[in-house]
Amino acid sequence: TTRARTGADWTNTERNTPCGVAALHHATAPREYMATQLERDKHARYLLHCLREVPQPYAALDTSRLSLAYFCVAGLDVLAHLGKIDAPLRAGIVEWIYSLQVLPPSDGCAGLPADRLGGFRGSGYLGAAHSSGGAPSSSPYDGAHLAMTYTALAVLLTLGDDLSRVDQPRVLAFVSSLQDEAGCFSAYPGGE
């Protein structure tokens, strides 16, 4: 038969685990060991830290850096701590997002796919020239992505931007180009 674990059992288990870290599963932990309150301030500090500097474990996700920004900003909004993003950081985030906007090249756009003409890229990882308003695609691999376009617009709106600098006709053309006959969308032309 199995007996219920007591607080002493959990203490002993914690002491006997590597590095003194307990691997407690919420379904088996006694009530007195389960968090009863969300540590809002600690979560907010962590999210603000992630907005200022990408933690090392996430550095490999540079192509999706905009997604990280989205989850941090949305998390702060859900925690009712959006006001903790000070004006300089807020302005920096907005400018950075606009720099990720894919714009048509100045020498014309004949023959280029829609992902190289509008929408937002996940970060500047492929070397597109930095410009506060956005930049043309720097290669066939430097195009807009549907999820990054969504997260860019969501963060801009959450931070109070009026979207006046978004090239709306190009974004709409990009999103429309990703819809198939059945009404389904892919993330990028020819993609998933």
Side-chain angles (χ1 to χ4, degrees), residues 1-89:
T1 64
T2 307
R3 70 176 179 85
R5 296 181 93 172
T6 66
D9 291 332
W10 285 103
T11 303
N12 291 337
T13 301
E14 290 174 16
R15 237 182 273 127
N16 295 328
T17 57
C19 304
V21 177
L24 301 178
H25 187 274
H26 74 279
T28 58
R31 256 191 213 287
E32 65 265 23
Y33 288 94
M34 292 173 36
T36 57
Q37 227 175 27
L38 181 64
E39 304 258 1
R40 291 177 185 267
D41 291 336
K42 287 182 181 179
H43 285 285
R45 278 195 307 273
Y46 177 73
L47 295 171
L48 283 167
H49 169 74
C50 291
L51 280 173
R52 289 187 176 98
E53 181 180 334
V54 176
Q56 191 278 329
Y58 304 115
L61 302 175
D62 193 52
T63 59
S64 302
R65 187 175 288 195
L66 192 50
S67 291
L68 179 61
Y70 167 76
F71 285 110
C72 292
V73 170
L76 287 165
D77 193 24
V78 167
L79 293 169
H81 280 47
L82 196 57
K84 290 195 178 208
I85 301 175
D86 59 33
L89 180 58

Side-chain angles (χ1 to χ4, degrees), residues 35-180:
T36 57
Q37 227 175 27
L38 181 64
E39 304 258 1
R40 291 177 185 267
D41 291 336
K42 287 182 181 179
H43 285 285
R45 278 195 307 273
Y46 177 73
L47 295 171
L48 283 167
H49 169 74
C50 291
L51 280 173
R52 289 187 176 98
E53 181 180 334
V54 176
Q56 191 278 329
Y58 304 115
L61 302 175
D62 193 52
T63 59
S64 302
R65 187 175 288 195
L66 192 50
S67 291
L68 179 61
Y70 167 76
F71 285 110
C72 292
V73 170
L76 287 165
D77 193 24
V78 167
L79 293 169
H81 280 47
L82 196 57
K84 290 195 178 208
I85 301 175
D86 59 33
L89 180 58
R90 185 178 297 248
I93 294 168
V94 168
E95 288 306 309
W96 172 70
I97 291 172
Y98 276 113
S99 78
L100 300 176
Q101 186 170 200
V102 178
L103 298 175
S106 58
D107 61 354
C109 45
L112 287 177
D115 70 316
R116 296 190 58 202
L117 301 174
F120 288 82
R121 54 179 65 86
S123 72
Y125 66 98
L126 281 174
H130 179 81
S131 170
S132 63
S137 171
S138 63
S139 78
Y141 305 104
D142 179 33
H145 189 281
L146 185 62
M148 298 305 116
T149 300
Y150 169 79
T151 57
L153 297 174
V155 172
L156 289 170
L157 287 170
T158 302
L159 294 178
D161 188 75
D162 63 4
L163 305 181
S164 62
R165 294 170 28 197
V166 172
D167 187 340
Q168 293 179 18
R170 298 270 185 203
V171 169
L172 289 172
F174 165 64
V175 172
S176 296
S177 75
L178 300 175
Q179 189 172 22
D180 66 19

